[in-house]
Amino acid sequence: MKKLFFLALIITAILYGNTCQAGLFGRTKANPCDVKIGSHAAVTPESRAKKKDWWLPRHQAVIDRVRQGNVDLIIIGDSITQGWGGVGKKVWDKYYAGRNAVNMGFNGDCTQHVLWRLQNGEIDGINPKLAVILIGINNDVDSSAEQIADGIKAVVCQLRTKLPETKVLVLGIFPRGYGKQMRNKKSDATMNLMWEKNDQANKLASKIADNKMIFYLNINKKFLNKKGVLTREIMPDLVHPNEKGYQIWAEAVEPTIVKLMGEKKK
């Protein structure tokens, strides 16, 4: 009986180990390239050139910059990232100007627009140490959490395919206001439908991190007060950071960027 008991324990251990390896206990990492391009809007590369007359010139300006070479850090995203060149410029100059960084943020972009840009010259001929991604908040009205996560994965896949030596840091989509919270200029933002959806997308997208070449970092709590509220003191329109918000962002990601870029701690 003892022999049968120990044999059963051994078989159980083997089966349990195989089950964990198969991912049924959530221990395996998702492949960012398992998304079928074109299967839905968030993963179908799309240009905005016909709708926004500024969009293609900005795209060309990024291409012109990367063609100059000397690119060690790229930061990819939408208006929140583009804001590093506006209200966040003072903070950008302090943290990133000396790092050969390129701002690839475009106002209003969704994951599908980033995909198009990456496929059409913005990362050609460069080999940066690190790519930082913050994208998906503009997808949240028309896409599900799963589709937003797919879009983020597709962007990461594009980066890993075209820039195999570049580490990728995915930032969780920031908290945001919605509906009445945004219309009432005196209101701050608590958890809402869009914030909740983006949180779910973040959880799904985080699974692609292998902590070797793909990393995930969620700094959202840094923007909230002790009660978990997003205030207009940090994001005046409850979406875009002000200078204080950009400072919070920079400070929160700095240790990770230093590590991933192989820099010495100051």
Side-chain angles (χ1 to χ4, degrees), residues 177-193:
Y178 181 64
K180 292 181 180 180
Q181 297 171 348
M182 297 182 73
R183 290 193 293 271
N184 181 351
K185 301 304 180 182
K186 295 182 179 180
S187 173
D188 294 324
T190 55
M191 183 63 70
N192 55 69
L193 290 175

Side-chain angles (χ1 to χ4, degrees), residues 44-78:
T44 303
E46 181 183 353
S47 168
R48 296 174 67 208
K50 292 182 179 179
K51 298 179 180 179
K52 302 292 182 180
D53 58 6
W54 60 266
W55 194 85
L56 202 56
R58 181 169 175 81
H59 170 62
Q60 187 59 51
V62 171
I63 293 175
D64 293 342
R65 167 61 187 89
V66 300
R67 282 177 178 170
Q68 296 173 14
N70 203 27
V71 178
D72 290 326
L73 172 64
I74 56 176
I75 304 182
I76 302 166
D78 46 46

Side-chain angles (χ1 to χ4, degrees), residues 223-241:
F223 296 113
L224 310 179
N225 65 19
K226 293 181 180 180
K227 295 182 179 180
V229 175
L230 176 66
T231 70
R232 292 182 182 270
E233 182 185 357
I234 303 300
M235 296 187 186
D237 64 354
L238 301 181
V239 174
H240 300 89

